[in-house]
């Protein structure tokens, strides 16, 4: 939950529209993020969690929702 | 060592504004501008082909200066109108280039950068190589279809240049080209069916790979990023150009952009942009310019150019 909260906070700083959004909801279908927010999101996640997201993981599915992002970060950390 | 010269462009005369596309595709004109930076693009006439646009750009290039005969032709296009032969041989014939080797690169977006990179490696054997990139994306969109949000991005046009062993307005200092098939399905056009693009994946990949290729290229040539006077990128989307400028920490003013007027002309875009930039600003002696492109494949790459002295 702590990790999810941190992810939500990061998304809120980048969000195109304020939400609210649930953890399983698509951040794109709901209009919270658009495609061009993604590079910004990736950079913010890398910085916040001190990780390097490899090119092979830069695909739409990984960053679809808060829960997917959190699971991914958990696997990386 | 090789040089770049005779940079030329051709765009069709028909201007298609966002309002016209809104009527055709239902995507709001203002939304097109907001999501891509595009206000208008050029569409070729129904009977105007990739070959004809390539020949128009090639003629301009060949007439732009004196020099030894062209010994090879390389043509990039992702929108040629048949499976084989590709357009290169027809273009060579129309330009009266005789029986020189005419090579097709069936590569959209990054095709011109790959063409110039390959040509620069071949100049020891072929003194002057004409490189052309030509696209009729409007035909792809109208005949095979794609999502309206993707369809609105594209325009038609062609660009050309000569890669020479001896002389040019800029020396090709170094080239760096790369490919990765991991995301081959993220942007594709089959023989039938619509062009598909997983825009989010493409944007993430491009936003990382374009800055990386340029930084690697500059680093291995000991060129400080800040000393690059102009960045000429594939004109895919203004938001992507903005992202790259931001990632590099460079002022947006150094990034050549004409996407507002021409849309994304795929492989042709970087040469059209370079041709316009050369007319407006031009190479200065010893000043560095970086070209870069990214596209379906994934293929991406960059080229470091350095302005020559007039006597070079």
């Amino acid at each position: 939950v702590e990790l999810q909260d941190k992810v939500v906070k990061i998304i809120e700083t980048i969000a195109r529209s304020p939400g609210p959004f649930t953890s399983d909801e698509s951040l794109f279908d709901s209009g919270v993020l658009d495609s061009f927010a993604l590079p910004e999101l990736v950079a913010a996640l890398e910085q916040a969690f001190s990780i390097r997201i490899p090119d092979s993981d830069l695909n739409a599915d990984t960053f679809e929702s808060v829960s997917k992002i959190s699971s991914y970060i958990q696997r990386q950390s | 060592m090789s040089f770049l010269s005779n940079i030329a462009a051709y765009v069709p005369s028909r201007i298609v504004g966002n309002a016209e596309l809104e009527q055709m595709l239902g995507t709001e004109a203002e939304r097109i501008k907001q999501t891509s930076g595009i206000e208008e693009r050029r569409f070729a006439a129904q009977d105007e082909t990739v070959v004809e646009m390539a020949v128009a750009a090639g003629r301009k290039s060949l007439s732009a200066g004196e020099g030894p005969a062209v010994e090879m032709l390389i043509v990039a296009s992702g929108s040629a109108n048949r499976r084989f032969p590709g357009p290169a041989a027809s273009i060579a014939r129309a330009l009266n280039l005789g029986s020189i080797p005419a090579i097709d690169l069936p590569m959209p977006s990054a095709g011109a950068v790959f063409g110039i990179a390959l040509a620069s490696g071949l100049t020891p054997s072929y003194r002057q190589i004409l490189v052309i990139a030509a696209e009729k994306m409007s035909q792809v969109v109208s005949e095979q279809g794609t999502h309206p949000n993707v369809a609105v991005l594209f325009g038609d046009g062609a660009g050309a240049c000569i890669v020479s062993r001896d002389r040019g307005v800029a020396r090709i200092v170094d080239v760096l080209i790369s490919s990765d098939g991991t995301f081959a399905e993220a942007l594709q056009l089959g023989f039938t069916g619509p062009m598909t693009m997983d825009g989010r994946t493409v944007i993430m990949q491009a936003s990382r790979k374009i800055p990386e290729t340029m930084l690697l290229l500059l680093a291995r040539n000991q060129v400080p990023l800040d000393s690059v006077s102009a960045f000429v990128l594939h004109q895919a989307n203004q938001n992507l150009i903005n992202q790259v400028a931001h990632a590099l920490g460079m002022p947006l003013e150094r990034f050549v952009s004409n996407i507002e007027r021409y849309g994304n002309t795929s492989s042709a875009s970087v040469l059209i942009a370079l041709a316009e930039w050369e007319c407006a600003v031009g190479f200065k002696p010893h000043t560095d310019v970086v070209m870069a492109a990214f596209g379906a494949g994934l293929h991406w790459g960059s080229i470091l150019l350095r302005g020559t002295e007039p006597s070079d």
Side-chain angles (χ1 to χ4, degrees):
Chain A
V1 176
E2 201 177 299
L3 190 146
Q4 277 211 5
D5 288 346
K6 201 169 169 182
V7 169
V8 168
K9 281 205 172 70
I10 290 167
I11 291 167
E12 281 170 349
T13 63
I14 295 161
R16 290 348 193 200
S17 78
F21 46 92
T22 64
S23 67
D24 291 322
E25 191 177 0
S26 166
L27 295 164
F28 302 94
D29 294 345
S30 60
V32 173
L33 298 180
D34 63 25
S35 308
F36 284 98
L38 272 167
E40 216 178 320
L41 175 64
V42 169
L45 291 169
E46 287 183 328
Q47 194 177 10
F49 295 100
S50 304
I51 55 169
R52 167 73 176 171
I53 299 173
D55 286 18
S56 55
D57 291 341
L58 294 178
N59 62 75
D61 191 51
T62 308
F63 303 94
E64 184 70 29
S65 64
V66 172
S67 58
K68 283 189 176 176
I69 296 169
S70 303
S71 305
Y72 175 77
I73 301 289
Q74 203 154 31
R75 288 199 302 275
Q76 298 300 304
S77 303
Chain B
M1 192 182 292
S2 55
F3 297 86
L4 195 71
S5 68
N6 300 48
I7 307 153
Y10 165 82
V11 290
S13 58
R14 190 185 160 210
I15 298 172
V16 178
N18 289 350
E20 186 177 340
L21 282 191
E22 183 175 342
Q23 297 290 315
M24 288 161 64
L25 300 162
T27 309
E28 282 175 35
E30 189 46 41
R31 185 180 150 72
I32 298 171
K33 168 77 178 163
Q34 206 172 47
T35 55
S36 66
I38 299 165
E39 288 195 357
E40 59 189 39
R41 71 286 292 143
R42 303 297 179 98
F43 276 8
Q46 192 137 15
D47 60 352
E48 189 173 26
T49 63
V50 162
V51 169
E52 286 168 335
M53 288 190 285
V55 168
R59 274 211 182 100
K60 281 190 188 180
S61 177
L62 292 171
S63 65
E66 296 296 313
V70 165
E71 295 179 1
M72 176 182 275
L73 170 67
I74 296 176
V75 176
S77 182
S79 54
N81 63 350
R82 63 187 170 201
R83 201 176 294 204
F84 67 80
S90 302
I91 294 163
R93 182 171 181 269
L95 290 172
N96 294 317
L97 297 178
S99 55
I100 63 163
I103 300 167
D104 287 294
L105 286 183
M107 190 184 285
S109 305
V113 163
F114 270 62
I116 294 167
L118 294 177
S120 106
L122 289 168
T123 51
S125 306
Y126 299 89
R127 191 169 188 169
Q128 293 226 99
I129 301 173
L130 176 61
V131 178
I132 301 178
E135 303 283 3
K136 191 175 180 183
M137 296 304 293
S138 62
Q139 187 171 18
V140 168
V141 168
S142 68
E143 289 184 358
Q144 292 192 232
T146 188
H147 191 283
N149 291 348
V150 177
V152 298
L153 301 175
F154 293 107
D156 302 332
C161 64
I162 287 178
V163 176
S164 165
R165 189 194 304 169
D166 311 307
R167 63 198 178 118
V169 289
R171 181 160 71 87
I172 300 173
V173 179
D174 197 6
V175 300
L176 176 58
I177 51 175
S178 309
S179 303
D180 177 4
T182 307
F183 296 102
E185 280 74 37
L187 176 52
Q188 59 179 329
L189 174 68
F191 288 120
T192 57
M195 173 170 55
T196 57
M197 178 163 80
D198 171 358
R200 292 173 208 156
T201 298
V202 170
I203 288 162
M204 274 192 287
Q205 291 291 330
S207 297
R208 177 165 290 175
K209 287 182 163 74
I210 296 171
E212 265 180 9
T213 183
M214 293 196 290
L215 288 172
L216 266 170
L217 182 76
L218 292 171
R220 75 184 189 186
N221 289 282
Q222 291 89 46
V223 173
L225 181 64
D226 195 42
S227 73
V228 176
S229 63
F231 297 89
V232 187
L233 306 189
H234 165 44
Q235 306 285 298
N237 188 311
Q238 185 60 49
N239 291 320
L240 179 60
I241 295 171
N242 298 348
Q243 292 270 2
V244 172
H246 178 73
L248 294 175
M250 285 284 103
L252 194 55
E253 296 73 44
R254 289 199 205 174
F255 287 75
V256 176
S257 176
N258 60 11
I259 192 167
E260 188 181 49
R261 289 176 286 122
Y262 301 131
N264 177 346
T265 55
S266 195
S267 68
S269 80
V270 74
L271 277 172
I272 296 172
L274 188 66
E276 286 200 344
W277 174 83
E278 204 207 355
C279 277
V281 182
F283 290 96
K284 307 282 187 295
H286 314 295
T287 302
D288 291 329
V289 170
V290 175
M291 296 171 73
F294 169 96
L298 304 171
H299 301 296
W300 68 99
S302 53
I303 298 172
L304 176 59
L305 301 168
R306 184 164 297 153
T308 52
E309 295 281 358
S311 57
D312 279 359

